[in-house]
Amino acid sequence: MENSDLPPAVTQKASPSNCHVTAEAGCDWPAGPEKPLPSDCCGAGRASSSNCHVTAEAGCDWPVEPEKPLPSDCCGGGCVPCVMDIYAEEMRLWQEEYRSLREGKRTAQESRDPHTAGPVLSSDKYTAFRLENIQKLTFDTTSGTYVYRFHIPGDRRLGLAVGQHIILRGSVASRSVTRQYTPISSLDARGHFDVLIKVYQTGVMSRYVRTWQVGDMVEWRGPFGTFTYRANQYRHLVMVAAGTGITPMLQVARRVLGNEEDETLVRLLYACRRYQDILLKDVLDNLAAFWNFSVSYYLSQEDQKNFKPKYGDEIHHGRVDQAVLSAELPPPGSGVLVLICGTRSFNSDMEESLKALGFSQTDIFRF
């Protein structure tokens, strides 16, 4: 029996995942609720969450419809969660919020109090955290990289395991957008967590992040990620990262180096355009003080004559390619795991090169 309080699309079931198939994309997309009419407003003047917009006609808040990813947004690499999975989940949450408003209930965001609602994070509900601080790391004409610190009430931990990430949700032009980020703060940090974000002059999520000011409430959910690690599981961990792909590598490296019983050798190959683009260089310098960690920087656009690296830095001019991997990596089957994180094209190139060198899929993990 159809529920008259919901638009038809919400109650329609096309598949077990509540998806229908778009012939153009060849992929499953969740069926979306219809936009509410001004007459649907109850007139109660409920407080809006950070992911709501105000309908001027009705003067009431309604959840913002999630933005549908393009078919090209999926890399096909089997990411967990995939952008398509995230969209399906966002649609489910949107439908729940819509139902709550129609029934006169509080939304999922309004009902969660981080002081009393159990775990700090939830994988199926968003929790708003207050932005405490913004630190600029790099800036040029096209982008800037910043570290954003968020407050965790009650001096509690965020609750992530090593290698896990969280999902940010924002509203841009009356559409809901999401992106995945790996916190760079220690997993044991209390009372706060830090996220490194590269903000572009163009880009949907960047438009939202650029509006942030200290004191704003920002919505996150999680944790997500399938990476698992135990001490001395591998003899070698080789990390191949580009740009902001350094963030999950920091988590893993800290876990290894923070355990005196773990004798795993950690080698980081970090690809950047220029020396000044190396992110969190001071953190990497501190890690390099450990006997079982080393890092090599590969700079693709640096002026070789007019830059001054820090004494002791291992600098290479050029890109990380198959020849570099062949020279750097132990042979396959020698207890090595290769971790990859960068742009979509970087990840694909690295994985292809590794397989050409004889590494199997079980020897590779792509964040």
Side-chain angles (χ1 to χ4, degrees), residues 8-34:
V10 177
T11 55
Q12 176 185 4
K13 294 183 179 179
S15 72
S17 60
N18 195 31
C19 292
H20 65 281
V21 176
T22 58
E24 301 84 357
C27 194
D28 289 334
W29 298 102
E34 295 176 352

Short mmCIF file of all heavy atoms in Angstrom, two decimals, residues 8-34:
data_model
loop_
_atom_site.label_atom_id
_atom_site.label_comp_id
_atom_site.label_asym_id
_atom_site.label_seq_id
_atom_site.Cartn_x
_atom_site.Cartn_y
_atom_site.Cartn_z
N PRO A 8 5.72 9.68 -5.00
CA PRO A 8 5.72 8.34 -5.59
C PRO A 8 7.08 7.72 -5.73
O PRO A 8 7.25 6.52 -5.55
CB PRO A 8 5.05 8.57 -6.96
CG PRO A 8 4.23 9.81 -6.78
CD PRO A 8 4.98 10.65 -5.81
N ALA A 9 8.11 8.53 -6.06
CA ALA A 9 9.44 7.95 -6.31
C ALA A 9 10.03 7.31 -5.08
O ALA A 9 10.84 6.40 -5.16
CB ALA A 9 10.39 9.02 -6.84
N VAL A 10 9.63 7.77 -3.90
CA VAL A 10 10.20 7.21 -2.68
C VAL A 10 9.71 5.79 -2.44
O VAL A 10 10.44 4.93 -1.99
CB VAL A 10 9.83 8.10 -1.47
CG1 VAL A 10 10.35 7.49 -0.19
CG2 VAL A 10 10.40 9.49 -1.65
N THR A 11 8.42 5.53 -2.77
CA THR A 11 7.87 4.22 -2.49
C THR A 11 8.07 3.25 -3.64
O THR A 11 7.84 2.07 -3.49
CB THR A 11 6.36 4.35 -2.21
OG1 THR A 11 5.74 5.01 -3.33
CG2 THR A 11 6.12 5.16 -0.95
N GLN A 12 8.55 3.73 -4.78
CA GLN A 12 8.78 2.86 -5.92
C GLN A 12 9.99 1.99 -5.68
O GLN A 12 11.04 2.47 -5.26
CB GLN A 12 9.01 3.72 -7.17
CG GLN A 12 9.34 2.90 -8.40
CD GLN A 12 9.68 3.80 -9.57
OE1 GLN A 12 9.73 5.01 -9.41
NE2 GLN A 12 9.89 3.23 -10.71
N LYS A 13 9.88 0.70 -5.93
CA LYS A 13 11.00 -0.21 -5.77
C LYS A 13 11.29 -0.86 -7.12
O LYS A 13 10.50 -1.61 -7.66
CB LYS A 13 10.69 -1.29 -4.74
CG LYS A 13 10.54 -0.73 -3.33
CD LYS A 13 10.30 -1.83 -2.32
CE LYS A 13 10.18 -1.25 -0.92
NZ LYS A 13 9.94 -2.30 0.07
N ALA A 14 12.47 -0.55 -7.65
CA ALA A 14 12.84 -1.09 -8.95
C ALA A 14 13.81 -2.23 -8.86
O ALA A 14 13.97 -3.01 -9.77
CB ALA A 14 13.43 0.02 -9.82
N SER A 15 14.52 -2.36 -7.74
CA SER A 15 15.50 -3.42 -7.55
C SER A 15 15.77 -3.53 -6.07
O SER A 15 15.39 -2.65 -5.30
CB SER A 15 16.80 -3.09 -8.31
OG SER A 15 17.48 -2.05 -7.67
N PRO A 16 16.49 -4.59 -5.60
CA PRO A 16 16.80 -4.71 -4.17
C PRO A 16 17.54 -3.51 -3.64
O PRO A 16 17.47 -3.22 -2.45
CB PRO A 16 17.64 -5.99 -4.11
CG PRO A 16 17.19 -6.79 -5.29
CD PRO A 16 16.87 -5.79 -6.36
N SER A 17 18.31 -2.80 -4.46
CA SER A 17 19.05 -1.64 -3.99
C SER A 17 18.27 -0.35 -4.18
O SER A 17 18.81 0.73 -4.04
CB SER A 17 20.39 -1.54 -4.73
OG SER A 17 20.16 -1.41 -6.12
N ASN A 18 16.96 -0.46 -4.53
CA ASN A 18 16.12 0.70 -4.77
C ASN A 18 16.67 1.57 -5.88
O ASN A 18 16.71 2.78 -5.79
CB ASN A 18 15.96 1.53 -3.49
CG ASN A 18 14.80 2.51 -3.61
OD1 ASN A 18 13.83 2.23 -4.31
ND2 ASN A 18 14.91 3.64 -2.93
N CYS A 19 17.20 0.94 -6.93
CA CYS A 19 17.79 1.65 -8.05
C CYS A 19 17.04 1.33 -9.32
O CYS A 19 16.36 0.32 -9.43
CB CYS A 19 19.26 1.24 -8.23
SG CYS A 19 20.32 1.79 -6.89
N HIS A 20 17.16 2.20 -10.31
CA HIS A 20 16.71 1.90 -11.64
C HIS A 20 17.90 2.05 -12.57
O HIS A 20 18.87 2.72 -12.26
CB HIS A 20 15.57 2.82 -12.07
CG HIS A 20 15.96 4.26 -12.18
ND1 HIS A 20 16.07 5.07 -11.07
CD2 HIS A 20 16.28 5.02 -13.24
CE1 HIS A 20 16.42 6.29 -11.46
NE2 HIS A 20 16.57 6.29 -12.76
N VAL A 21 17.85 1.43 -13.72
CA VAL A 21 18.98 1.43 -14.63
C VAL A 21 18.81 2.53 -15.67
O VAL A 21 17.77 2.62 -16.32
CB VAL A 21 19.12 0.07 -15.33
CG1 VAL A 21 20.24 0.10 -16.35
CG2 VAL A 21 19.37 -1.01 -14.31
N THR A 22 19.81 3.38 -15.79
CA THR A 22 19.81 4.37 -16.85
C THR A 22 20.56 3.79 -18.03
O THR A 22 21.72 3.42 -17.92
CB THR A 22 20.50 5.67 -16.39
OG1 THR A 22 21.83 5.36 -15.98
CG2 THR A 22 19.75 6.28 -15.21
N ALA A 23 19.92 3.78 -19.17
CA ALA A 23 20.53 3.14 -20.33
C ALA A 23 21.78 3.89 -20.77
O ALA A 23 22.74 3.29 -21.24
CB ALA A 23 19.52 3.09 -21.48
N GLU A 24 21.77 5.24 -20.59
CA GLU A 24 22.92 6.01 -21.04
C GLU A 24 24.17 5.67 -20.24
O GLU A 24 25.26 5.56 -20.77
CB GLU A 24 22.63 7.51 -20.90
CG GLU A 24 21.43 8.00 -21.69
CD GLU A 24 20.13 7.78 -20.93
OE1 GLU A 24 20.17 7.21 -19.83
OE2 GLU A 24 19.09 8.18 -21.46
N ALA A 25 24.00 5.50 -18.91
CA ALA A 25 25.16 5.28 -18.04
C ALA A 25 25.50 3.81 -17.90
O ALA A 25 26.62 3.46 -17.57
CB ALA A 25 24.88 5.88 -16.66
N GLY A 26 24.50 2.94 -18.12
CA GLY A 26 24.76 1.52 -17.89
C GLY A 26 25.03 1.23 -16.44
O GLY A 26 25.74 0.32 -16.09
N CYS A 27 24.45 2.03 -15.55
CA CYS A 27 24.76 1.90 -14.14
C CYS A 27 23.49 2.11 -13.34
O CYS A 27 22.53 2.69 -13.83
CB CYS A 27 25.82 2.94 -13.74
SG CYS A 27 26.56 2.64 -12.13
N ASP A 28 23.44 1.63 -12.11
CA ASP A 28 22.26 1.77 -11.27
C ASP A 28 22.26 3.11 -10.58
O ASP A 28 23.25 3.52 -10.00
CB ASP A 28 22.25 0.67 -10.20
CG ASP A 28 21.96 -0.69 -10.82
OD1 ASP A 28 21.32 -0.70 -11.88
OD2 ASP A 28 22.37 -1.70 -10.23
N TRP A 29 21.12 3.80 -10.62
CA TRP A 29 20.95 5.08 -9.94
C TRP A 29 19.72 5.01 -9.05
O TRP A 29 18.67 4.51 -9.47
CB TRP A 29 20.76 6.22 -10.94
CG TRP A 29 21.92 6.40 -11.84
CD1 TRP A 29 22.03 6.00 -13.13
CD2 TRP A 29 23.15 7.02 -11.52
NE1 TRP A 29 23.25 6.33 -13.64
CE2 TRP A 29 23.96 6.96 -12.68
CE3 TRP A 29 23.66 7.63 -10.38
CZ2 TRP A 29 25.23 7.48 -12.72
CZ3 TRP A 29 24.94 8.15 -10.43
CH2 TRP A 29 25.70 8.08 -11.59
N PRO A 30 19.78 5.50 -7.82
CA PRO A 30 18.61 5.48 -6.96
C PRO A 30 17.50 6.37 -7.51
O PRO A 30 17.78 7.42 -8.08
CB PRO A 30 19.14 6.02 -5.62
CG PRO A 30 20.62 5.90 -5.72
CD PRO A 30 20.95 6.02 -7.18
N ALA A 31 16.26 5.93 -7.36
CA ALA A 31 15.13 6.75 -7.74
C ALA A 31 14.96 7.86 -6.71
O ALA A 31 14.97 7.62 -5.52
CB ALA A 31 13.88 5.89 -7.80
N GLY A 32 14.80 9.09 -7.16
CA GLY A 32 14.79 10.24 -6.26
C GLY A 32 13.40 10.76 -5.95
O GLY A 32 12.51 10.72 -6.80
N PRO A 33 13.18 11.27 -4.75
CA PRO A 33 11.92 11.87 -4.40
C PRO A 33 11.67 13.13 -5.21
O PRO A 33 12.60 13.81 -5.64
CB PRO A 33 12.09 12.22 -2.90
CG PRO A 33 13.23 11.40 -2.44
CD PRO A 33 14.11 11.23 -3.63
N GLU A 34 10.37 13.45 -5.42
CA GLU A 34 10.03 14.68 -6.09
C GLU A 34 10.28 15.86 -5.17
O GLU A 34 10.19 15.75 -3.95
CB GLU A 34 8.55 14.65 -6.49
CG GLU A 34 8.22 13.58 -7.53
CD GLU A 34 6.74 13.54 -7.80
OE1 GLU A 34 5.99 14.24 -7.08
OE2 GLU A 34 6.34 12.83 -8.73
#
